[in-house]
């Protein structure tokens, strides 16, 4: 009994320490902008941040659940989701608009919620894999404070909520398919950021295939019936009906083949690699020196130890899907550092993908599921 009590105290202590670390990191990153009553960080900006804040102002000025913004956020009326203003929060807070102070923004608190959501998902993975306390702490910190989320905190805050991807991966690892929670996750992602919804939807498709092969036929059928309803509701509510821009003429913000090892000047040890900037900024996915070293150490080993259940079910299919999304992240022009290896813009394949490129022009972001999966795999294998 005494040993169990000490164990519970230790677990609570670890939880409080991790929570304090995450909140302190968030506060340090945002500084004075952390307060929801400070808007100068957005109003005084001339780039993405002012566009996000203007999207929130448009929600306040457009009564009802309207997916269209006014000209505050674009030179013309546009869809709310493309202002990257986390439209779900905007629409939920709209009825309180008259009660909220004029100097109010929800982006800083949304980022804190995203960090905690990611930490919760990481802790769920740690519990599924029965990780040790140190292993759990490392996994929580590595995912909740992942560079791919932190670099986008003050701009494109919705994208920093990559914890939705962590939750999707956690459910895949649990090997129990629930169509209702997957529908909720896809709907939530549609209300946070369009790109997250695209990635989560791919992972849902993978979960469907895995569950079908595992004999979970009835949940899979429910998923096929309910997901179109979720997509249509999100499409209408958040304004996804925007004309596509063909990849043959648009500027694509893609990832470099060196994305996982290129710190883009954000490392204390290494400088930036020479890559086409600013376009390949969207492909930022630096794993960090510890994870890269661990990958080198584990590379000769199998992705699943002999006689041990793989971390992800159907590992060949899983890593093939991660690789396919990473391939899409490279876009129609494949670059290795400063060298363009090949351009596929005029090929039939790119013509076929044009409607998808129109919605997801910043293709580099689709490398994030591979990023999260590699971090999870490395830490779980080292524990």
């Amino acid at each position: 009994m005494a040993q169990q009590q000490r164990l519970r105290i230790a677990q609570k202590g670890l939880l409080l320490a991790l929570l304090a670390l995450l909140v302190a990191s968030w506060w340090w990153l945002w500084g004075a902008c952390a307060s929801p009553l400070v808007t100068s960080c957005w109003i005084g900006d001339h780039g993405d941040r002012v566009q996000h804040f203007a999207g929130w102002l448009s929600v306040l000025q457009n009564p009802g659940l309207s997916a269209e913004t006014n000209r505050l956020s674009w030179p013309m009326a546009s869809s709310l989701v493309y202002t990257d203003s986390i439209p779900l929060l905007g629409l939920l807070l709209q009825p309180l608009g008259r009660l909220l102070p004029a100097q109010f923004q929800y982006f800083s608190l949304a980022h804190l919620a995203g960090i905690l959501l990611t930490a919760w998902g990481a802790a769920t993975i740690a519990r599924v894999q029965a990780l040790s306390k140190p292993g759990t702490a490392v996994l929580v910190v590595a995912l909740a404070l992942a560079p791919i989320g932190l670099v986008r905190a003050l701009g494109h805050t919705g994208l920093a909520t990559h914890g939705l991807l962590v939750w999707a991966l956690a459910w895949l690892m649990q090997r129990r398919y629930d169509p209702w929670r997957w529908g909720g996750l896809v709907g939530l992602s549609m209300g946070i950021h369009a790109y997250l919804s695209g990635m989560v939807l791919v992972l849902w498709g993978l979960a469907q295939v895995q569950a079908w092969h595992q004999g979970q036929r009835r949940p899979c059928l429910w998923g096929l019936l309910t997901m179109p309803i979720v997509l249509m509701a999100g499409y209408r509510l958040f304004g996804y009906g925007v004309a596509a821009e063909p990849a043959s003429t648009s500027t694509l913000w893609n990832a470099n083949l060196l994305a996982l090892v290129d710190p883009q000047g954000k490392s204390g040890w290494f400088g930036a690699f020479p890559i086409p900037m600013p376009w390949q900024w969207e492909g930022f996915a630096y794993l960090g020196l510890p994870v890269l070293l661990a990958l080198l150490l584990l590379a000769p080993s199998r992705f699943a130890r002999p006689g041990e259940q793989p971390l992800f079910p159907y590992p060949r299919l899983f890593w093939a899907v991660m690789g396919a999304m990473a391939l899409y992240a490279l876009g129609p022009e494949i670059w290795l550092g400063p060298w363009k290896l090949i351009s596929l813009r005029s090929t039939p394949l790119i013509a076929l993908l044009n409607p998808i490129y129109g919605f997801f022009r910043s293709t580099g972001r689709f490398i994030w599921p591979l990023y999260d999966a590699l971090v999870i795999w490395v830490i779980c294998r080292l524990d």
Side-chain angles (χ1 to χ4, degrees), residues 81-337:
V81 70
Y82 290 109
T83 65
D84 294 349
S85 59
I86 314 179
L88 176 62
L89 281 180
L91 293 176
L92 289 175
L93 291 172
Q94 186 187 59
L96 303 176
R98 293 186 178 182
L99 302 177
L100 294 172
Q103 300 294 319
F104 174 80
Q105 54 80 23
Y106 49 76
F107 299 102
S108 57
L109 294 181
H111 183 235
L112 176 60
I115 289 176
L116 299 179
L117 178 71
T118 309
W120 186 12
T124 299
I125 293 173
R127 185 173 64 253
V128 170
Q129 295 299 316
L131 298 187
S132 64
K133 292 187 186 68
T136 298
V138 170
L139 184 64
V140 167
V141 173
L143 290 176
L145 300 180
I148 59 172
L150 295 183
V151 299
R152 291 172 172 84
L154 299 179
H156 295 286
T157 308
L159 282 173
T161 317
H162 77 112
L164 300 179
L165 304 177
V166 174
W167 272 103
L169 293 172
W171 291 344
L172 286 170
M173 296 171 74
Q174 286 179 333
R175 292 167 169 79
R176 184 177 62 84
Y177 179 74
D178 186 336
W180 307 108
R181 66 181 183 180
W182 274 102
L185 188 68
V186 170
L188 182 63
S189 65
M190 292 184 77
I192 293 177
H193 201 283
Y195 282 79
L196 290 176
S197 67
M199 289 180 266
V200 170
L201 193 60
V202 172
L203 295 176
W204 165 78
L206 177 59
Q208 279 277 129
V209 173
Q210 291 178 348
W212 186 269
H213 280 278
Q214 291 168 354
Q216 303 178 57
R217 303 297 167 82
R218 180 173 294 183
C220 287
L221 292 176
W222 275 113
L224 291 174
L225 289 173
T226 57
M227 191 57 71
I229 298 175
V230 172
L231 294 175
M232 287 188 290
Y235 186 90
R236 175 65 185 89
L237 185 60
F238 303 120
Y240 279 76
V242 175
E245 184 179 5
S248 57
T249 58
S250 66
T251 299
L252 295 180
W253 299 70
N254 62 331
N256 198 286
L257 282 170
L258 301 177
L260 295 174
V261 299
D262 180 12
Q264 291 193 9
K266 295 175 176 61
S267 169
W269 297 89
F270 307 106
F273 288 18
I275 63 173
M277 292 292 275
W279 300 279
Q280 292 189 349
W281 143 255
E282 289 291 0
F284 176 77
Y286 180 52
L287 284 169
L289 187 59
V291 175
L292 289 173
L293 290 176
L295 276 174
L296 289 176
L297 290 173
L298 295 171
S301 68
R302 293 167 57 91
F303 268 54
R305 295 165 180 164
E308 185 179 58
Q309 178 176 260
L311 287 180
F312 302 100
Y314 302 97
R316 291 183 180 178
L317 174 62
F318 174 82
W319 292 110
V321 172
M322 297 301 104
M325 282 195 278
L327 187 61
Y328 178 81
L330 298 178
E333 292 183 353
I334 312 299
W335 291 74
L336 177 64

